[in-house]
Amino acid sequence: MALFRSKTKESESDPVQLEGVSLRYGNSPDIFSDLSLTLPARSLHFLTGPSGAGKTSLLSLLYLANLPSNGQVRLFGHDVAKTSRAKRTTIRRQLGAVFQDFRLLDHMSVFDNVALPLRVTGTPETAVQENVSELLRWVGLEGLFDALPPVLSGGQKQRVAIARAVVTRPKLIIADEPTGNVDDAIAERLMQLFVELHKLGACVIVATHNERLVERFAFPRLHMERGVMSVLPAKSPSPSTGAQAG
Amino acid sequence: MSVKSFLPPAERSTMGGFLIGIVAVLVFISGIALTATGAISALVDNWNSSVKGTLTVQIIGSSSTSTTKANTAIENLRKLPDVKRAEIVSRDKIQALLKPWLNDDKLIADLPLPVLIDIELTSPSTLAISKVTAVVKSAADDAIIDDHRVWLNRIADFAMGLSYIALSLMIMAFGALVLTVVFATRASLTEYVHVIEVLHLVGARDAHIASQFSWRTWRQVVWGGMLGLLAFAPALAGIAWLARRIDIGILPPVTLPVPYWIGLCLLPIVAGLISYVVAMTTVRRALSGMV
Ligand SMILES: Nc1ncnc2c1ncn2[C@@H]1O[C@H](COP(=O)(O)OP(=O)(O)OP(=O)(O)O)[C@@H](O)[C@H]1O
Ligand SMILES: [Mg+2]
């Protein structure tokens, strides 16, 4: 896919490194604690676990919506708690996130929503037009360029959210339940998109409840339950280098 | 599409409409207060420079006897502690005053002019005026004492008091304008917190997000301010019309000094600047709460 030509110069550091990380909201008990994990470039992991296990909470550390209560989160080698605000913005521009609740801007067309990450970095408009159109066609939303998010179905919104997350060809892709609202055929097609991106060098993490998807695609799985994470290997030989968890 | 706005259209924002409306009303009120202050203090300044507790005495009759009477009167007047200065207005000066109207040196020279005494009082009290009147009458019983400028002086004092009230009204109106712009600007941003958050998460820089909101707020407030001024224009015309009606000779013409005109035109800009800064700091504060 021409759209996702891999970048020639790759970061030396692993995109994601967690060391003894714990997270709690306010004074409530830890959602998880002492979590250590490294996700290398050119990898794809599923993140599974029962509802309320803390999947979204973990991912929120990776897309920089939260900081860890304890421990260290390193993204591309930078300790996110210690790095400057400006640097955090730079890191955000190297990652793409599909939020569980989409977070589309209702006043903007589908096209403009997807174009947003490109436009905030001042990408030339010709490049914006080209990339966004191609991607929207790929996720099956041709004909909906000018629609506003409130009139879309759940599955359509989800695809807009995915397109927005990958439009900058990020080196780290964090997808929270990206196929929760689509049928299996579309889910597989969207998963295929993440697989392509991972082959091109991205570090991809996909939180999902969809067991069939996990079985169909042979990638290692990070399983969270009661604050503990375990790494389960892929069902069949994995094309990924795999994660180390502690 | 060089600078593309990522904000929802302003016309769909209820708080934005409120901001425009409230700024219009406050600029209108501030405009009235500013004009009142300007016009009244200009009036008072005008009076103060032309009237300083002075009296004019006219003695009509043949030049020699009038002058004798006048000199006697002046001699006695100078003994009064209430009199600061008393002197005959020279014939040359009277002629010079008449010149613009008659413009005929020969005619003016031949005119039977009265003798005028210019008296300045230390303080223009009723008692002082009656003492002066008694002294003048004893020297020249046919003298005409023109004391309306003393009374005018009292009106000027009263107007001065009014101008202080207008000034405090103006300060209050400005205060209300500033506070309202601050709070309305903050309130108008609350509906955009989720937009700010999304822009932040997709990698927009703080300064970029903040400037989008502050420019939008600037435009809304300046627009509201213009509307307020527009509504104020008929009111200003009305004030001017009323002022022209009282402008009948004894009162100097009421005009608004130039700095006040500039002040009026600057009202929307000042309100806009305040809201720009407030929007900037409000969005920055919202952003600083995000990682
Ligand atoms: N902003 C928050 N403030 C306080 N508590 C929160 C917040 N977000 C999540 N939690 C709590 O943290 C726990 C983990 O929530 P989280 O959303 O991470 O679960 P999840 O694994 O993503 O669940 P699901 O599969 O349903 O999406 C829950 O008990 C939830 O109540
Ligand atoms: Mg979740």
Side-chain angles (χ1 to χ4, degrees), chain A residues 3 109-119 123 125-139 141-142 145 163-164 167-169:
Chain A
L3 181 54
S109 69
V110 163
F111 188 96
D112 288 344
N113 265 285
V114 175
L116 195 58
L118 292 173
R119 285 183 175 148
T123 309
E125 200 55 29
T126 47
V128 171
Q129 297 291 332
E130 200 180 306
N131 286 350
V132 174
S133 311
E134 183 182 346
L135 192 52
L136 278 175
R137 269 191 287 276
W138 209 91
V139 296
L141 291 177
E142 58 275 85
F145 285 17
R164 184 181 66 185
V167 74
T168 57
R169 310 167 202 192

Short mmCIF file of all heavy atoms in Angstrom, two decimals, chain A residues 3 109-119 123 125-139 141-142 145 163-164 167-169:
data_model
loop_
_atom_site.label_atom_id
_atom_site.label_comp_id
_atom_site.label_asym_id
_atom_site.label_seq_id
_atom_site.Cartn_x
_atom_site.Cartn_y
_atom_site.Cartn_z
N LEU A 3 0.30 4.24 0.46
CA LEU A 3 0.01 5.23 1.49
C LEU A 3 0.95 5.10 2.69
O LEU A 3 1.34 6.06 3.31
CB LEU A 3 -1.45 5.06 1.92
CG LEU A 3 -1.97 6.02 2.97
CD1 LEU A 3 -1.76 7.45 2.53
CD2 LEU A 3 -3.45 5.74 3.17
N SER A 109 -16.80 17.50 9.13
CA SER A 109 -17.14 16.40 8.23
C SER A 109 -16.20 15.22 8.50
O SER A 109 -15.16 15.37 9.15
CB SER A 109 -16.98 16.85 6.78
OG SER A 109 -15.62 17.05 6.50
N VAL A 110 -16.60 14.06 8.01
CA VAL A 110 -15.77 12.86 8.10
C VAL A 110 -14.37 13.17 7.56
O VAL A 110 -13.36 12.87 8.20
CB VAL A 110 -16.44 11.72 7.28
CG1 VAL A 110 -15.44 10.62 6.99
CG2 VAL A 110 -17.65 11.18 8.04
N PHE A 111 -14.34 13.82 6.41
CA PHE A 111 -13.05 14.13 5.78
C PHE A 111 -12.19 15.00 6.71
O PHE A 111 -11.02 14.69 6.95
CB PHE A 111 -13.28 14.85 4.44
CG PHE A 111 -12.03 15.04 3.65
CD1 PHE A 111 -11.68 14.14 2.65
CD2 PHE A 111 -11.19 16.10 3.91
CE1 PHE A 111 -10.51 14.30 1.92
CE2 PHE A 111 -10.01 16.27 3.19
CZ PHE A 111 -9.67 15.38 2.20
N ASP A 112 -12.79 16.06 7.24
CA ASP A 112 -12.02 16.97 8.08
C ASP A 112 -11.57 16.32 9.38
O ASP A 112 -10.49 16.63 9.90
CB ASP A 112 -12.85 18.24 8.39
CG ASP A 112 -12.98 19.13 7.17
OD1 ASP A 112 -12.20 18.94 6.21
OD2 ASP A 112 -13.86 20.00 7.15
N ASN A 113 -12.40 15.41 9.92
CA ASN A 113 -12.00 14.69 11.12
C ASN A 113 -10.73 13.87 10.86
O ASN A 113 -9.80 13.89 11.66
CB ASN A 113 -13.12 13.76 11.59
CG ASN A 113 -13.98 14.40 12.66
OD1 ASN A 113 -13.59 14.52 13.81
ND2 ASN A 113 -15.17 14.86 12.25
N VAL A 114 -10.74 13.19 9.74
CA VAL A 114 -9.58 12.36 9.42
C VAL A 114 -8.36 13.23 9.10
O VAL A 114 -7.23 12.89 9.42
CB VAL A 114 -9.92 11.40 8.25
CG1 VAL A 114 -8.69 10.61 7.83
CG2 VAL A 114 -11.04 10.45 8.67
N ALA A 115 -8.62 14.40 8.50
CA ALA A 115 -7.52 15.29 8.12
C ALA A 115 -6.91 16.01 9.31
O ALA A 115 -5.80 16.53 9.22
CB ALA A 115 -8.03 16.31 7.11
N LEU A 116 -7.62 16.02 10.42
CA LEU A 116 -7.21 16.83 11.58
C LEU A 116 -5.74 16.64 12.01
O LEU A 116 -5.00 17.62 12.14
CB LEU A 116 -8.17 16.57 12.74
CG LEU A 116 -8.13 17.55 13.90
CD1 LEU A 116 -8.42 18.96 13.43
CD2 LEU A 116 -9.14 17.15 14.97
N PRO A 117 -5.30 15.36 12.23
CA PRO A 117 -3.90 15.21 12.68
C PRO A 117 -2.89 15.73 11.66
O PRO A 117 -1.80 16.17 12.04
CB PRO A 117 -3.75 13.70 12.85
CG PRO A 117 -5.13 13.18 12.97
CD PRO A 117 -5.99 14.08 12.13
N LEU A 118 -3.25 15.69 10.38
CA LEU A 118 -2.34 16.22 9.37
C LEU A 118 -2.35 17.74 9.40
O LEU A 118 -1.31 18.39 9.30
CB LEU A 118 -2.77 15.75 7.97
CG LEU A 118 -2.61 14.26 7.68
CD1 LEU A 118 -3.22 13.91 6.33
CD2 LEU A 118 -1.14 13.87 7.71
N ARG A 119 -3.54 18.29 9.55
CA ARG A 119 -3.65 19.76 9.49
C ARG A 119 -3.04 20.44 10.70
O ARG A 119 -2.48 21.53 10.57
CB ARG A 119 -5.11 20.16 9.32
CG ARG A 119 -5.60 19.90 7.89
CD ARG A 119 -7.03 20.36 7.69
NE ARG A 119 -7.43 20.21 6.29
CZ ARG A 119 -8.67 19.93 5.91
NH1 ARG A 119 -9.63 19.78 6.82
NH2 ARG A 119 -8.96 19.83 4.63
N THR A 123 0.46 20.13 7.44
CA THR A 123 0.71 19.39 6.20
C THR A 123 0.09 20.12 5.01
O THR A 123 -1.03 20.62 5.11
CB THR A 123 0.06 17.99 6.32
OG1 THR A 123 0.49 17.40 7.53
CG2 THR A 123 0.44 17.10 5.15
N GLU A 125 -2.02 21.09 1.89
CA GLU A 125 -3.39 20.66 1.65
C GLU A 125 -3.49 19.62 0.53
O GLU A 125 -4.35 18.74 0.57
CB GLU A 125 -4.27 21.88 1.37
CG GLU A 125 -5.75 21.66 1.57
CD GLU A 125 -6.12 21.15 2.97
OE1 GLU A 125 -5.38 21.45 3.94
OE2 GLU A 125 -7.12 20.43 3.07
N THR A 126 -2.61 19.69 -0.46
CA THR A 126 -2.67 18.69 -1.54
C THR A 126 -2.39 17.30 -0.99
O THR A 126 -3.08 16.33 -1.33
CB THR A 126 -1.66 19.02 -2.65
OG1 THR A 126 -0.40 19.30 -2.05
CG2 THR A 126 -2.10 20.19 -3.49
N ALA A 127 -1.40 17.22 -0.09
CA ALA A 127 -1.07 15.94 0.54
C ALA A 127 -2.22 15.47 1.42
O ALA A 127 -2.54 14.27 1.47
CB ALA A 127 0.20 16.08 1.36
N VAL A 128 -2.86 16.42 2.10
CA VAL A 128 -4.00 16.08 2.95
C VAL A 128 -5.10 15.45 2.10
O VAL A 128 -5.61 14.37 2.41
CB VAL A 128 -4.53 17.34 3.68
CG1 VAL A 128 -5.85 17.03 4.40
CG2 VAL A 128 -3.50 17.87 4.68
N GLN A 129 -5.45 16.12 1.02
CA GLN A 129 -6.53 15.64 0.15
C GLN A 129 -6.24 14.22 -0.33
O GLN A 129 -7.09 13.34 -0.25
CB GLN A 129 -6.68 16.57 -1.08
CG GLN A 129 -7.08 17.99 -0.76
CD GLN A 129 -8.51 18.12 -0.24
OE1 GLN A 129 -9.37 17.30 -0.59
NE2 GLN A 129 -8.77 19.11 0.59
N GLU A 130 -5.02 14.02 -0.78
CA GLU A 130 -4.64 12.74 -1.35
C GLU A 130 -4.70 11.61 -0.32
O GLU A 130 -5.38 10.60 -0.51
CB GLU A 130 -3.21 12.88 -1.88
CG GLU A 130 -2.81 11.85 -2.89
CD GLU A 130 -1.37 12.12 -3.35
OE1 GLU A 130 -1.10 13.28 -3.78
OE2 GLU A 130 -0.54 11.22 -3.22
N ASN A 131 -4.01 11.84 0.82
CA ASN A 131 -3.94 10.80 1.86
C ASN A 131 -5.30 10.47 2.46
O ASN A 131 -5.65 9.30 2.63
CB ASN A 131 -3.01 11.24 2.99
CG ASN A 131 -1.56 11.17 2.57
OD1 ASN A 131 -1.24 10.63 1.51
ND2 ASN A 131 -0.69 11.72 3.39
N VAL A 132 -6.05 11.49 2.77
CA VAL A 132 -7.32 11.27 3.44
C VAL A 132 -8.30 10.55 2.52
O VAL A 132 -8.97 9.59 2.92
CB VAL A 132 -7.91 12.61 3.95
CG1 VAL A 132 -9.31 12.41 4.53
CG2 VAL A 132 -6.99 13.23 5.00
N SER A 133 -8.36 10.98 1.25
CA SER A 133 -9.28 10.33 0.32
C SER A 133 -8.94 8.85 0.17
O SER A 133 -9.82 7.99 0.24
CB SER A 133 -9.21 10.99 -1.06
OG SER A 133 -9.31 12.38 -0.93
N GLU A 134 -7.65 8.58 -0.02
CA GLU A 134 -7.25 7.19 -0.23
C GLU A 134 -7.61 6.32 0.97
O GLU A 134 -8.17 5.23 0.84
CB GLU A 134 -5.73 7.13 -0.51
CG GLU A 134 -5.27 5.72 -0.82
CD GLU A 134 -3.77 5.61 -1.04
OE1 GLU A 134 -3.12 6.66 -1.22
OE2 GLU A 134 -3.27 4.47 -1.02
N LEU A 135 -7.32 6.85 2.15
CA LEU A 135 -7.57 6.09 3.37
C LEU A 135 -9.06 5.87 3.60
O LEU A 135 -9.49 4.78 3.98
CB LEU A 135 -6.94 6.85 4.55
CG LEU A 135 -6.83 6.12 5.87
CD1 LEU A 135 -6.14 4.77 5.68
CD2 LEU A 135 -6.04 6.96 6.84
N LEU A 136 -9.85 6.91 3.37
CA LEU A 136 -11.29 6.78 3.59
C LEU A 136 -11.89 5.75 2.63
O LEU A 136 -12.79 5.00 3.00
CB LEU A 136 -11.99 8.14 3.41
CG LEU A 136 -11.93 9.05 4.64
CD1 LEU A 136 -12.53 10.41 4.34
CD2 LEU A 136 -12.65 8.41 5.83
N ARG A 137 -11.36 5.72 1.39
CA ARG A 137 -11.84 4.69 0.46
C ARG A 137 -11.46 3.31 0.98
O ARG A 137 -12.23 2.38 0.92
CB ARG A 137 -11.26 4.94 -0.94
CG ARG A 137 -12.16 5.83 -1.78
CD ARG A 137 -11.73 5.84 -3.23
NE ARG A 137 -10.50 6.61 -3.41
CZ ARG A 137 -10.47 7.93 -3.55
NH1 ARG A 137 -11.61 8.63 -3.57
NH2 ARG A 137 -9.34 8.56 -3.70
N TRP A 138 -10.25 3.22 1.54
CA TRP A 138 -9.77 1.92 2.02
C TRP A 138 -10.65 1.38 3.14
O TRP A 138 -10.92 0.19 3.20
CB TRP A 138 -8.32 2.05 2.49
CG TRP A 138 -7.58 0.76 2.31
CD1 TRP A 138 -6.86 0.37 1.23
CD2 TRP A 138 -7.55 -0.32 3.23
NE1 TRP A 138 -6.37 -0.88 1.40
CE2 TRP A 138 -6.78 -1.35 2.62
CE3 TRP A 138 -8.09 -0.56 4.49
CZ2 TRP A 138 -6.53 -2.57 3.24
CZ3 TRP A 138 -7.85 -1.78 5.11
CH2 TRP A 138 -7.07 -2.78 4.48
N VAL A 139 -11.08 2.26 4.04
CA VAL A 139 -11.92 1.78 5.14
C VAL A 139 -13.40 1.73 4.73
O VAL A 139 -14.27 1.46 5.56
CB VAL A 139 -11.77 2.63 6.43
CG1 VAL A 139 -10.36 2.54 6.98
CG2 VAL A 139 -12.16 4.08 6.19
N LEU A 141 -15.45 4.14 3.26
CA LEU A 141 -16.32 5.28 3.56
C LEU A 141 -16.41 6.26 2.39
O LEU A 141 -16.74 7.43 2.60
CB LEU A 141 -15.83 6.00 4.82
CG LEU A 141 -15.99 5.24 6.14
CD1 LEU A 141 -15.39 6.02 7.29
CD2 LEU A 141 -17.45 4.93 6.43
N GLU A 142 -16.11 5.78 1.16
CA GLU A 142 -16.27 6.68 0.02
C GLU A 142 -17.75 7.06 -0.06
O GLU A 142 -18.62 6.27 0.24
CB GLU A 142 -15.78 6.05 -1.30
CG GLU A 142 -16.46 4.75 -1.68
CD GLU A 142 -15.79 3.55 -1.01
OE1 GLU A 142 -16.16 3.25 0.14
OE2 GLU A 142 -14.93 2.93 -1.65
N PHE A 145 -17.66 11.40 2.64
CA PHE A 145 -16.63 12.40 2.97
C PHE A 145 -17.22 13.61 3.68
O PHE A 145 -16.62 14.17 4.59
CB PHE A 145 -15.93 12.88 1.69
CG PHE A 145 -14.96 11.88 1.13
CD1 PHE A 145 -14.99 10.55 1.52
CD2 PHE A 145 -14.00 12.28 0.20
CE1 PHE A 145 -14.10 9.62 1.00
CE2 PHE A 145 -13.10 11.35 -0.32
CZ PHE A 145 -13.15 10.03 0.07
N ALA A 163 -9.30 5.65 10.67
CA ALA A 163 -8.63 6.41 9.61
C ALA A 163 -7.87 7.59 10.20
O ALA A 163 -6.73 7.87 9.82
CB ALA A 163 -9.66 6.88 8.58
N ARG A 164 -8.49 8.28 11.16
CA ARG A 164 -7.82 9.43 11.76
C ARG A 164 -6.56 8.99 12.52
O ARG A 164 -5.55 9.69 12.53
CB ARG A 164 -8.77 10.14 12.74
CG ARG A 164 -8.17 11.40 13.34
CD ARG A 164 -9.10 12.10 14.31
NE ARG A 164 -9.32 11.27 15.50
CZ ARG A 164 -10.18 11.59 16.48
NH1 ARG A 164 -10.89 12.71 16.39
NH2 ARG A 164 -10.33 10.81 17.51
N VAL A 167 -3.70 8.07 9.76
CA VAL A 167 -3.49 8.94 8.60
C VAL A 167 -2.10 9.58 8.59
O VAL A 167 -1.56 9.90 7.53
CB VAL A 167 -4.60 10.02 8.52
CG1 VAL A 167 -4.40 11.10 9.57
CG2 VAL A 167 -4.64 10.65 7.14
N THR A 168 -1.48 9.71 9.76
CA THR A 168 -0.14 10.31 9.79
C THR A 168 0.96 9.27 9.65
O THR A 168 2.13 9.59 9.79
CB THR A 168 0.08 11.06 11.13
OG1 THR A 168 -0.12 10.13 12.19
CG2 THR A 168 -0.88 12.23 11.28
N ARG A 169 0.57 7.99 9.37
CA ARG A 169 1.53 6.86 9.32
C ARG A 169 2.34 6.82 10.60
O ARG A 169 3.59 6.90 10.58
CB ARG A 169 2.48 7.01 8.13
CG ARG A 169 1.75 7.26 6.85
CD ARG A 169 2.72 7.70 5.80
NE ARG A 169 2.01 8.42 4.76
CZ ARG A 169 2.55 8.73 3.60
NH1 ARG A 169 3.77 8.36 3.33
NH2 ARG A 169 1.85 9.39 2.71
#
